[in-house]
Amino acid sequence: MRELITHSRGVPADGDTPVFAEPWQAEAFAIVVALHDRGLFSWNEWANALSTQLKRPDALADGSDYYHGWLAALESIIATKNIAGKEDIDDLAAAWQRAAHATPHGKPILLENDPDRS
């Protein structure tokens, strides 16, 4: 296996081909690995959750929605394991969106920037 190198964007790459098409995909990957490392689910549980998403009827044949399936599998497994429910996930995603819109250009997006945060 060839050694992974990093593109200037910080996205790991194998030769000239990025391993992840977008930085958010690498972050989603890292979240799954971190949750597994904390013992929140086994690799078999993860493989089953991901497989369910990748086999759904509306999955794109070219696999371009692979990491969207990855996120859906992550949401599913953390809901199934009662780590967080869909409403919790949706609320947190909305808070990050609001924080992003409230953050001045060029500044780091922090959840504390959410104007609705109490």
Side-chain angles (χ1 to χ4, degrees):
M1 178 185 273
R2 295 189 319 200
E3 185 175 329
L4 291 179
I5 60 171
T6 303
H7 279 214
S8 61
R9 294 182 300 168
V11 178
D14 181 10
D16 291 332
T17 307
V19 175
F20 302 104
E22 299 287 337
W24 70 265
Q25 296 170 346
E27 292 169 2
F29 183 90
I31 290 169
V32 169
V33 172
L35 292 176
H36 169 266
D37 287 349
R38 288 185 174 187
L40 296 176
F41 50 81
S42 70
W43 284 129
N44 282 340
E45 290 172 310
W46 172 250
N48 289 334
L50 181 57
S51 176
T52 297
Q53 293 301 319
L54 298 179
K55 291 178 182 176
R56 68 188 193 283
D58 62 336
L60 299 177
D62 68 358
S64 61
D65 62 343
Y66 179 79
Y67 279 101
H68 291 281
W70 189 277
L71 285 177
L74 178 57
E75 289 179 6
S76 172
I77 202 166
I78 64 176
T80 299
K81 297 223 160 245
N82 293 318
I83 297 166
K86 178 163 178 28
E87 185 175 313
D88 298 321
I89 294 167
D90 291 344
D91 289 347
L92 188 56
W96 278 108
Q97 267 307 13
R98 289 188 303 270
H101 289 291
T103 301
H105 181 73
K107 299 290 183 187
I109 299 170
L110 304 171
L111 195 53
E112 291 79 23
N113 294 348
D114 173 9
D116 291 353
R117 187 178 167 120
S118 2

